[in-house]
Amino acid sequence: MKGFGSRAAGIAFAMLGAAAAAQEQESGRVGSGAPEDFFMEITRGEDGTPVLSPDQFTLALGGYYRFNVVCPEDLTSETGYHFEATELLENAHIRVLSVGETDIEFYMQGLTFRAIECDAAGSARFSFHPMRPGVYPIEVRDQGVPPKEAFGRIVVE
């Protein structure tokens, strides 16, 4: 929990900055320069169901984005979360996948991956260009039997 308050404030500030920068992305034009960051925090509700905050994003076709999946709680392989956005990943040009607050990066250059799992507090992110307009579902489930699920979506215009 040490430093969580400043991390949460940083996430909130980045989310506000990303909302303002979202207007700069132009639909149909492939973005360049640094990607625009947006964040999804996954926590556990009182009933144990995953909670996504926020649970919807609107992006410009061809824009350049970095999706940050944040798991701020202490987790284990039995209590962690499984994040999937399969249809988005199938309709996007993936650039870079990175893990945590370190300098570990995977340069994808068009390749894809299937899912992100949080088995500890931390984050993972991927940068991409959405290449087809549409509404793409996000699914997050825990490791329970049966799993508890939460859903979100990404709208590409």
Side-chain angles (χ1 to χ4, degrees), residues 42 69 81-87 89-90 94 97-99 106 108 112-118 124-126 138-141 143:
I42 306 170
V69 177
Y81 303 114
H82 185 89
F83 166 94
E84 287 188 23
T86 304
E87 292 177 40
L89 297 173
E90 290 172 349
I94 306 299
L97 171 66
S98 55
V99 179
F106 304 87
M108 308 295 286
T112 193
F113 63 94
R114 191 175 79 75
I116 295 172
E117 280 199 17
C118 294
R125 61 187 181 199
F126 59 96
I138 296 169
E139 177 186 351
V140 174
R141 63 182 178 272
Q143 305 297 338

Side-chain angles (χ1 to χ4, degrees), residues 29-43:
R29 188 185 64 137
V30 175
S32 61
E36 178 182 328
D37 281 290
F38 63 101
F39 295 80
M40 174 180 277
E41 187 172 90
I42 306 170
T43 57

Side-chain angles (χ1 to χ4, degrees), residues 103-133:
D103 291 326
I104 300 173
E105 297 177 337
F106 304 87
Y107 286 81
M108 308 295 286
Q109 301 305 317
L111 300 174
T112 193
F113 63 94
R114 191 175 79 75
I116 295 172
E117 280 199 17
C118 294
D119 289 338
S123 64
R125 61 187 181 199
F126 59 96
S127 62
F128 67 101
H129 297 280
M131 301 308 289
R132 290 191 181 93

